[in-house]
Amino acid sequence: MATTWIDFRSLREQLDIVAVLEHYGVAIKHRRGDQVSCLCPLPDHPVRHEPGKRTPSFSANARKGCWHCFGCGESGNVIDLAVYLRGDDPADRDAVRAAAIELTDTFKLRFDRPAERRERERPREQPQ
């Protein structure tokens, strides 16, 4: 069944940023506690294809689910990272939703809808 409703806060809390990096084929260079570092995986990183640049500039915190690249200056949460790695713009709401749906389905995550939303969507009984 395709995902139609997403609890973004719960998604950010449930996702493991290291698993997301690995899902997109990013090789982790260093790991120390909750911090991991690697070469910047962002498609628009300015020095990504320069042959002499081999120093990891990308750092992610697995506990907090956030990341920062000291080379290109980009940063964000785990969903923003997935949007970038898909080649999309995190300012595009549709791209963020598409990435969130992909992550939800890939990692088989499920969310409970808030009770008030379920009430609104419940079919009402017809008076007889």
Side-chain angles (χ1 to χ4, degrees), residues 1-103:
M1 184 169 121
T3 302
T4 58
W5 184 83
I6 296 175
D7 179 342
F8 284 88
R9 176 182 289 163
S10 182
L11 177 61
R12 285 190 307 271
E13 290 170 356
Q14 290 183 51
L15 284 172
D16 176 1
I17 198 165
V18 176
V20 171
L21 285 164
E22 291 170 346
H23 169 71
Y24 286 101
V26 177
I28 304 297
K29 295 283 187 179
H30 302 285
R31 187 176 286 198
R32 177 181 254 171
D34 291 332
Q35 286 298 124
V36 296
S37 60
C38 58
L39 299 176
C40 183
L42 304 182
D44 295 333
H45 186 83
V47 293
R48 182 182 171 99
H49 302 292
E50 289 182 22
K53 299 290 183 177
R54 305 311 307 156
T55 305
S57 61
F58 183 92
S59 179
N61 185 294
R63 184 176 46 80
K64 294 179 182 177
C66 61
W67 57 272
H68 179 77
C69 176
F70 295 95
C72 65
E74 295 292 341
S75 62
N77 63 47
V78 65
I79 299 171
D80 297 329
L81 176 62
V83 174
Y84 275 120
L85 295 177
R86 289 169 41 100
D88 294 328
D89 178 6
D92 178 356
R93 293 175 61 167
D94 293 331
V96 172
R97 180 168 172 69
I101 288 171
E102 178 185 317
L103 292 169

Side-chain angles (χ1 to χ4, degrees), residues 124-128:
R124 297 184 185 202
E125 294 181 22
Q126 298 295 326
Q128 295 179 356

